[in-house]
Amino acid sequence: MRTLSDVILFDNVTKTYSRKARPALGGVSMEILKGEFVFLVGASGSGKSTMIRLMMREEQPNSGDIHVLGQRLAAISNSKVPFFRRNLGVVFQDFRLLRNKTVYENVAFTLQVIGKSRGFISEAVPDVLKIVGLAGKSSRFPHELSGGEQQRVAIARAVVNKPPILLADEPTGNLDPATSAGIMALLARINEGGTTVVMATHEASIVDAMQRRVIEVDSGKIVRDQKTGAYGSKLSTTPSGKQVTVNENEPMLESEDAEEAGA
Amino acid sequence: MRAALVLQEVWTGLRRNMSMVVSVILVTFISLTFVGAAMLLQGQINQMKGFWYDRAQVAVYFCNEGDVGPNCTGEATQEQIDEVTATLETDAIAPFVQTVEFEDRAQAFENFKDQFEGTQAAEFATEESMSQALRVQPQSPQDASIVAEATSSLPGVLEVQDQRRLLEPIFQALNTASLVAVSVAVIMLVAAVLLISTTIRLSAFSRQRELGIMRLVGASNRFIQTPFILEGVISALIGSVLASGAVLALVQWGVQGYLAPLLPTYPLVGIDATLLVIPVLLAIGVLLSGVAAAVAIRRYLRV
């Protein structure tokens, strides 16, 4: 089943949070290939954030195996996890920038803590800021930037070390549609450079516009995996995809618990 | 680059938690001062024990004319004195005895005058009022009781005095004092350890966002925890240095400057003994704070 081009492989993965009877993920199997752009879609609490956290080994599955970049995650000891993480860029809805550091310092911080040389940092940081379109704002502080710009800083920080995989958990969740489109264009450009991108979202318009692979998760199971798809093609009728899925009517309770568990 | 970054983090942490850092410094300072004082006091006790026990003998006093005792029938005769001496030379007792010296009245009088020179007792004492005695040096201090048992009921013996027993209360008091110092030191050290771990937790809590981001981008555990451990160790080290200074000052001015001129013949702890105590204080400070900080920061390293 595994091929050399797998970068992420889930093999019958089950994850249960101790406080809940129903598993967050129940026997999920899937593979993501090198260079793919994959949307994980589903309602809040469907399990897509759990999948992202499992991929970055912030959590471990109760059963099943996860391979990322050829490494079996269960085999990585806790003290080696930081070194594994250096292969992943991660972006969140809430940007997670350091308020007391400038744009430049926020990006450079990543490289500093993993021990890159001063020379490398002074070359890589301006390069990546240019890619995300913030070349002129490197000495601004996060609070002086718009939400979209802050997310660009977060993306710059995630990719400055040129990781093979970029994980994005609701990266446009706090942004207006126009700004979101800019962020999606940026992610698409990063993907074109060869980086595998996995993005969890519940914004139908974005998924519909991109026409990439879609994995739909519902109640901890994969219910759809389409090579190029729209957000709600299974249940919605309109091609533009205003989501009228059953998932939307699910109670929101579990999502809050899952968010907490990750914090 | 990394070292500079780590030091910068340490400095930020120390500055942000200034009041907690100062309290850590003070608590380690006081607790280690007590540890140092207890160690020096114990050293002093051992030194004094050695000094006094070497000199402490068992004195077997013989009856004088008019003395009242269970074995006294007037002045002890030469035969009685010889018999006591012979008893001490028997195979059963001899192994426990180092030397036996007879002290006649003239010698006893000389000694007495020396010992109580300048007091009224020396003026009123006469040679006749002195007792003849055997000065027995036991093999070891523990053997004194054997000597006493063997001789105390022999005829002509007025009293057997184990001089070491006279010193016991003094050592008891000193031992109690050092025990108290150790107890206070231990309690204070526990307080210091708890305070250090609280301080480090607080420091980590105020930098939670940074820690989360560090973990996200793959900073190694060692990189994350080193600034916190250094923060604890540096605070405690400052406290240890202050404690070393305090102990040194105590010995320099308190013991050598004040006590030594008052007690010229006593062996007192000196600067050289203190210089041995100081590295111990520094080591205790560094080790305890390092371990406390490492344990405190561990839960922030969970992935």
Side-chain angles (χ1 to χ4, degrees), chain B:
Chain B
M1 188 78 220
R2 270 166 75 94
L5 193 67
V6 167
L7 289 179
Q8 191 192 322
E9 292 282 324
V10 172
W11 176 239
T12 313
L14 289 174
R15 220 182 32 198
R16 267 195 216 169
N17 281 323
M18 196 45 101
S19 62
M20 288 295 272
V21 167
V22 169
S23 57
V24 168
I25 291 174
L26 292 179
V27 171
T28 22
F29 167 34
I30 302 297
S31 55
L32 289 176
T33 304
F34 271 98
V35 172
M39 286 173 67
L40 287 175
L41 193 53
Q42 203 56 55
Q44 177 69 56
I45 291 168
N46 287 338
Q47 214 165 2
M48 282 174 74
K49 269 189 180 159
F51 180 83
W52 286 111
Y53 282 0
D54 275 355
R55 283 161 184 74
Q57 295 168 326
V58 178
V60 182
Y61 294 106
F62 292 105
C63 301
N64 250 354
E65 191 70 57
D67 278 340
V68 182
N71 311 320
C72 284
T73 49
E75 192 180 333
T77 61
Q78 189 58 45
E79 287 83 55
Q80 287 173 331
I81 293 170
D82 287 344
E83 203 197 324
V84 173
T85 313
T87 308
L88 289 173
E89 282 162 2
T90 57
D91 289 346
I93 307 298
F96 303 106
V97 175
Q98 210 171 1
T99 57
V100 179
E101 251 175 74
F102 180 70
E103 187 182 64
D104 63 20
R105 289 203 175 91
Q107 275 171 322
F109 188 52
E110 283 304 307
N111 289 345
F112 187 85
K113 278 198 295 186
D114 277 353
Q115 215 169 349
F116 295 94
E117 203 184 334
T119 67
Q120 286 197 326
E123 286 166 34
F124 289 111
T126 58
E127 200 176 312
E128 283 68 42
S129 64
M130 295 292 122
S131 295
Q132 305 178 89
L134 283 176
R135 299 263 170 209
V136 183
Q137 179 73 56
Q139 271 307 342
S140 76
Q142 291 78 24
D143 299 335
S145 56
I146 296 169
V147 174
E149 249 173 66
T151 53
S152 58
S153 54
L154 293 175
V157 173
L158 172 66
E159 189 191 2
V160 180
Q161 201 178 59
D162 179 2
Q163 292 176 333
R164 197 173 62 112
R165 201 158 288 162
L166 300 178
L167 297 170
E168 277 311 307
I170 298 168
F171 288 122
Q172 209 90 65
L174 286 172
N175 262 329
T176 308
S178 103
L179 206 66
V180 168
V182 167
S183 313
V184 172
V186 166
I187 292 169
M188 295 293 283
L189 282 178
V190 170
V193 164
L194 293 177
L195 197 62
I196 288 167
S197 52
T198 308
T199 305
I200 295 307
R201 273 204 194 113
L202 205 68
S203 185
F205 188 76
S206 70
R207 274 185 277 172
Q208 217 169 15
R209 198 179 172 82
E210 264 144 303
L211 288 180
I213 291 167
M214 281 188 188
R215 272 175 33 196
L216 196 67
V217 301
S220 65
N221 287 352
R222 190 183 304 172
F223 180 83
I224 292 175
Q225 72 188 4
T226 304
F228 292 99
I229 294 178
L230 281 181
E231 202 178 311
V233 168
I234 287 173
S235 322
L237 193 62
I238 297 172
S240 317
V241 169
L242 290 178
S244 305
V247 170
L248 208 58
L250 192 75
V251 171
Q252 176 68 45
W253 286 295
V255 176
Q256 294 298 331
Y258 176 75
L259 275 183
L262 291 181
L263 307 164
T265 53
Y266 281 68
L268 294 168
V269 285
I271 294 298
D272 44 344
T274 316
L275 291 180
L276 290 179
V277 167
I278 285 173
V280 177
L281 296 186
L282 296 179
I284 292 177
V286 167
L287 274 180
L288 279 185
S289 61
V291 170
V295 170
I297 196 65
R298 214 169 42 180
R299 76 184 205 94
Y300 285 91
L301 300 177
R302 254 187 353 205
V303 280

Side-chain angles (χ1 to χ4, degrees), chain A residues 196-218:
Chain A
T196 307
V197 178
V198 179
M199 172 169 160
T201 184
H202 56 245
E203 286 177 75
S205 56
I206 288 172
V207 181
D208 294 346
M210 296 286 287
Q211 290 297 309
R212 302 296 179 109
R213 181 176 169 193
V214 175
I215 296 176
E216 183 176 345
V217 193
D218 182 22

